[in-house]
Every structure is written in C-alpha cells, then in structure tokens.
C-alpha cells in the first residue's frame, strides 16, 4: 500500500507545542514536565516525545514534539481531561497560551505561515525536497562536527559522533534549512 493510499486515520501525526516560560519560573515548569511527561508517554498510540529546552540568555521557549500513530490518537491526548487539567495547572507559568500545531508525517517542514489553510505538498515532492536538503547536510556536517568532538576531549566513539551529527542535522533541517528551502521552492511544491 502506498503512502498516498493510506487513509488519514492510518497515517502518523505530530504536534509541536511551544511554551514561553520566564527564566524565573523554569524550575517550576521542569517539575510540571515531570508530571505531564509520564501521562503523555502512557497515552494510547504514542510513538515518541521530545523536549527542546530554552538556551539560557537566548530564549525562554520550550518546544515539545510529540508523534502518534494516528491523528485520532493525537487529538485524543490533546483533548483529554488529564492534559487539560495539567495545562490549567501550568497556566501561571506560561507567558501566553498553550500553542500547538498538528501535522501529519513531515508536513510541519513544509508549512507556510502565510498560507495557513494551504494543503501540504504531495508526498513525492516532500521526499525529493527533504532528500535534496539532507544529502548535503549529512555530507558536510560530519566534516565539521567530528573534529570538534575529537578536539573537545570526548571519547572517540562512532555512536557518540552519530548522536551529535544527527542532532545537528535535524536541528539545521527543522530550524534553518527547510523553512527557507520550502519557501524558495513553494511554487514547485504547491503546484
């Protein structure tokens, strides 16, 4: 069965939740994460759950990325009474609302903020664009990151190198490359 033949109920879905938390309240927010994290990880259909923490002196944003087997599983968690109660409990910690964006597959990489209702591009175009962005990154990033890791005194380990290289590649893809690349290629992507 091809990816396009799958019904939406059978495709994976992801959400990126952003919370702006004052540095003075981040310790309390971390305690709150220890409360909501196990509930989220135990919810039906969960595939994975990741947190990107703020960088001190640079940002106050926590980004929580959650992937589920289906969009139904995801909305079930987001609308659950347990999550709603915990979000209400943390409201005083947040500078603003509990903001999130739901996407299926890698659609979040191709979202256009100026076209909120735009349909994601077809999968084969997403595949080609993602591949053409990842290939140069996985070719160049190890040449830059591995010597830095070796010079830092960390043990020379293929697993450790791969861990850091893939982390840099994913961060570059999500935050630097794809927002600009998909904007540059938007006419081809959405045609």
């Amino acid at each position: 069965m091809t990816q396009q033949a799958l019904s939406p109920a059978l495709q994976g879905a992801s959400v990126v939740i952003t919370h702006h938390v004052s540095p003075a309240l981040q310790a309390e927010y971390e305690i709150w994460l220890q409360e909501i994290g196990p509930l989220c990880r135990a919810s039906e259909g969960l595939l994975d759950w990741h947190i990107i923490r703020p960088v001190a002196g640079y940002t106050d944003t926590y980004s929580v990325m959650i992937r589920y087997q289906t969009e139904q599983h995801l909305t079930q968690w987001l609308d659950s009474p347990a999550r709603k109660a915990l979000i209400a409990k943390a409201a005083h910690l947040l500078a603003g609302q509990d903001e999130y964006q739901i996407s299926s597959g890698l659609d979040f990489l191709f979202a256009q903020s100026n076209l909120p209702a735009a349909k994601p591009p077809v999968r084969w175009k997403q595949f080609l664009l993602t591949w053409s962005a990842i290939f140069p990154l996985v070719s160049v990033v190890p040449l830059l990151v591995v010597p830095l890791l070796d010079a830092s005194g960390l043990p020379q380990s293929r697993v450790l190198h791969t861990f850091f290289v893939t982390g840099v590649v994913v961060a570059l893809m999500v935050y630097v490359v794809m927002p600009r690349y998909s904007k540059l290629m938007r006419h081809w992507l959405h045609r």
Side-chain angles (χ1 to χ4, degrees):
M1 187 181 291
T2 66
Q3 180 71 14
Q4 290 184 336
L6 292 173
S7 75
L10 297 176
Q11 295 180 11
S14 59
V15 64
V16 178
I17 303 167
T18 55
H19 288 159
H20 300 281
V21 182
S22 162
L25 299 173
Q26 287 179 1
E28 192 175 344
Y29 183 84
E30 289 285 342
I31 293 168
W32 177 80
L33 280 175
Q34 292 174 16
E35 187 175 355
I36 197 169
L39 290 175
C40 178
R41 288 189 295 272
S43 62
E44 184 181 358
L46 182 83
L47 294 174
D48 57 28
W49 188 79
H50 302 281
I51 299 173
I52 299 176
R53 289 176 165 79
V55 177
Y58 180 69
T59 180
D60 65 356
T61 304
Y62 281 82
S63 296
V64 181
M65 292 171 280
I66 310 169
R67 287 188 322 125
Y68 280 86
Q69 292 172 353
T70 67
E71 191 168 338
Q72 181 181 355
H73 287 123
L74 174 57
T75 55
Q76 186 175 313
W77 164 248
L78 291 174
D79 295 338
S80 71
R83 182 183 184 276
K84 286 181 179 181
L86 285 166
I87 292 297
K89 182 178 179 179
H92 72 284
L93 302 172
L94 309 179
Q97 297 276 319
D98 173 48
E99 301 170 14
Y100 59 84
Q101 176 182 346
I102 298 174
S103 303
S104 63
L106 294 174
D107 292 345
F108 72 95
L109 291 175
F110 303 93
Q112 295 189 39
S113 57
N114 59 338
L115 299 172
K119 253 182 103 174
V122 293
R123 294 284 183 207
W124 69 267
K125 288 185 177 184
Q126 291 182 30
F127 166 80
L128 287 176
L129 199 73
T130 303
W131 186 18
S132 69
I134 285 179
F135 177 75
L137 288 175
V138 298
S139 299
V140 173
V141 168
L143 300 175
L144 302 171
V145 172
V146 171
L148 289 173
L149 292 172
D150 291 345
S152 72
L154 289 172
Q156 292 188 357
S157 160
R158 186 176 186 162
V159 172
L160 191 62
H161 289 168
T162 303
F163 176 78
F164 282 103
V165 166
T166 55
V168 170
V169 168
V170 170
L172 287 171
M173 282 291 292
V174 172
Y175 295 109
V176 178
V177 175
M178 288 309 285
R180 289 164 180 81
Y181 193 28
S182 60
K183 186 176 182 179
L184 178 69
M185 300 298 290
R186 69 184 172 275
H187 297 296
W188 174 76
L189 272 172
H190 296 280
R191 187 169 8 152

